[in-house]
Every structure is written in structure tokens, then in C-alpha cells.
Amino acid sequence: MITLALSKGRIFDETLPLLKAAGIEVLDDPETTRKLILATNLPDVRVVLVRASDVPTYVQYGGADLGITGRDTLLEHGSQGLYQPLDLQIAKCRMSVAVREGFDYAGAVRQGSRLRVATKFVSIAREFFASKGVHVDLIKLYGSMELAPLTGLADAIVDVVSTGNTLKANHLVEVERIMDISSRLVVNQAALKLKQQPIRHIIDAFAAALTPPTSV
Ligand code: ATP
Ligand code: PRP
């Protein structure tokens, strides 16, 4: 049996075409079923639905053989025991610093002020500000980061941005782009050895689906 860990929502939705390319169809809709283990058209392939931030943990400890997870989540979790063969170029966004409209971020940085930064991505934020030599107090949040500068909890946030609509709706502006983010295929290293043939088939099919057709 091959077990693939996916999270509901954008990663599941954007993975479906890749699964199709590998000849795999999931038999239930994760938005309507209450099941957490979903069968596929292949009797020896199943999908487990987990929180996005739990995907690396499931794959690392062998609860799943493979998984699909954002670069952000992987950087926060650490990639020990995980083989990362492919950048799937799905769930694309960027990790950015944002502040309230009118907040003088550049001035605060220039003056060496100690910034309060709220984020779910503490490791990424710590490394980014350390590399710039900016002193920060990091405040860990689990969601709705946009609220932090509006309520005075923090001066800035580090969060993912895609269209920018969420920032705009909350009168925040992006002041620094930390890195581009997309989702990766991660594989349990022991599973790769023990179930080499079926796992290789999935990796190769995903890779082929990503490769743009070459023009003659
Ligand atoms: P959890 O449920 O564990 O808190 P989450 O809510 O971040 O995680 P998703 O919203 O499904 O989970 O996001 C999954 C991944 O998709 C993120 O890790 C990130 O890489 C990417 N992502 C997040 N927001 C966006 C967005 N607005 N547009 C595109 N990709 C995004
Ligand atoms: C993510 C992120 C931002 C938003 C950015 O939230 O936390 O709030 O996307 O996207 P935008 O720039 O296109 O507006 P998501 O939609 O995943 O909701 P969540 O907070 O429930 O994860």
C-alpha cells in the first residue's frame, strides 16, 4: 500500500491533475466526506487528509509514504528524513513582511528600533531578520496574522501573500518580500527504499506532468 498525505483545499485541488497524470483518481470529495482516509481507483494507493502543517510529520515518521507540502511548512518543520525530489509549482505565493498603511518600516529599520513581529512562520522570520541585522521580538500566532498590526499586538507581520487582497482589505502593505513559495513532493526515505518501484512511478509521472511539452 502507498499512502499519500494531502491537506484539504488548495493543495488537494492543485494536486488532482498530477494524480491524474499518474493514473490515480481519488474516489471521495474531501470537501463533502467526513472520511480521513480516501480510497483511489488503484487498490494499493490511498490518500490521507491531514492539516497542512502536519504533512511533513506524517511523512517523516512513516504515517504516509509521500506528501505534498508548502516550502514554508517544510522550512518551519525541518526536512530531516525527507527526500524532496520535486518542486510541483503549485500553491504558489510569496512570504512577505507587511505593516499597517502609514507605518514607517524603513525608518524603524534604519533607526535600529526593536520591531515586534507577529507570525506563524517563526523560523523563517527569525532567520530573515537576523540576516538583515534587524532586532525583532517574535510573537507566535496560528492564523489571522493581519489582525496583529491593527490591534497593536505587533508592528509587522510575516505571512504568505498571493493576490495581496487580504492585506489590502485590512489596510496593510507589503514592505519586503522574503522568498517565493510553492509546494514540494516529500518522500519518506525508508519508504523510497522499501517501495521503490511504485513510488518511483508516482515521482516520474508527476515530473512528466510538470515538464512543458517541447516544441519541435
Ligand atoms: P494549517 O491548516 O496547517 O494551519 P494552512 O491553513 O496554511 O495550514 P493552507 O491554507 O491549505 O494551509 O495552505 C497550504 C499551503 O499553500 C501553504 O503552506 C502555502 O505554501 C500555500 N498557500 C497559503 N496561502 C496561499 C495563497 N493565498 N495562495 C497560494 N498558496 C497559498
Ligand atoms: C492565506 C494567508 C493570507 C492569504 C493571502 O490565507 O494566510 O491570509 O492567504 O492570500 P491573498 O494575498 O491572495 O489574499 P488562506 O486563504 O489560506 O486562509 P487561512 O488563513 O485559513 O489559511
Side-chain angles (χ1 to χ4, degrees):
M1 176 65 74
I2 298 292
T3 302
L4 173 67
L6 295 176
S7 52
K8 282 207 276 193
R10 58 175 63 86
I11 290 198
F12 185 90
D13 298 344
E14 295 188 38
T15 299
L16 284 181
L18 297 171
L19 288 175
K20 199 166 176 206
I24 301 167
E25 279 175 45
V26 185
L27 300 181
D28 282 296
D29 177 356
E31 298 304 331
T32 51
T33 182
R34 296 296 299 165
K35 289 186 207 165
L36 296 173
I37 300 181
L38 308 184
T40 72
N41 60 319
L42 304 184
D44 54 352
V45 178
R46 64 181 185 173
V47 167
V48 291
L49 293 177
V50 303
R51 277 287 291 265
S53 41
D54 289 335
V55 168
T57 309
Y58 268 83
V59 178
Q60 179 181 2
Y61 292 105
D65 301 305
L66 311 104
I68 296 177
T69 184
R71 181 185 180 199
D72 48 335
T73 307
L74 260 182
L75 288 172
E76 288 299 315
H77 177 272
S79 50
Q80 208 189 358
L82 298 175
Y83 171 55
Q84 299 179 45
L86 292 174
D87 179 347
L88 300 172
Q89 294 293 328
I90 60 171
K92 285 169 99 169
C93 52
R94 55 193 183 272
M95 186 68 64
S96 293
V97 183
V99 298
R100 220 175 347 101
E101 282 168 10
F103 179 83
D104 183 11
Y105 174 77
V109 168
R110 208 169 36 242
Q111 284 161 22
S113 314
R114 203 172 176 90
L115 285 176
R116 273 193 304 166
V117 178
T119 187
K120 180 172 149 185
F121 307 99
V122 172
S123 297
I124 293 173
R126 184 181 296 115
E127 192 167 319
F128 174 70
F129 288 111
S131 74
K132 286 172 61 83
V134 174
H135 298 291
V136 291
D137 288 322
L138 293 172
I139 301 171
K140 168 84 183 184
L141 291 177
Y142 292 87
S144 303
M145 265 77 83
E146 295 84 4
L147 205 50
L150 306 179
T151 54
L153 179 68
D155 303 308
I157 59 170
V158 167
D159 195 8
V160 297
V161 180
S162 174
T163 60
N165 289 341
T166 309
L167 292 182
K168 207 166 166 192
N170 291 291
H171 306 285
L172 301 176
V173 287
E174 192 176 357
V175 286
E176 294 217 62
R177 189 182 180 122
I178 300 177
M179 64 176 72
D180 289 330
I181 302 282
S182 54
S183 284
R184 313 289 157 107
L185 179 65
V186 290
V187 183
N188 176 281
Q189 285 178 341
L192 183 62
K193 290 198 188 97
L194 293 169
K195 307 178 187 179
Q196 196 168 18
Q197 198 271 332
I199 290 180
R200 273 280 156 219
H201 166 74
I202 292 175
I203 297 173
D204 292 346
F206 281 11
L210 294 178
T211 314
T214 45
S215 52
V216 197

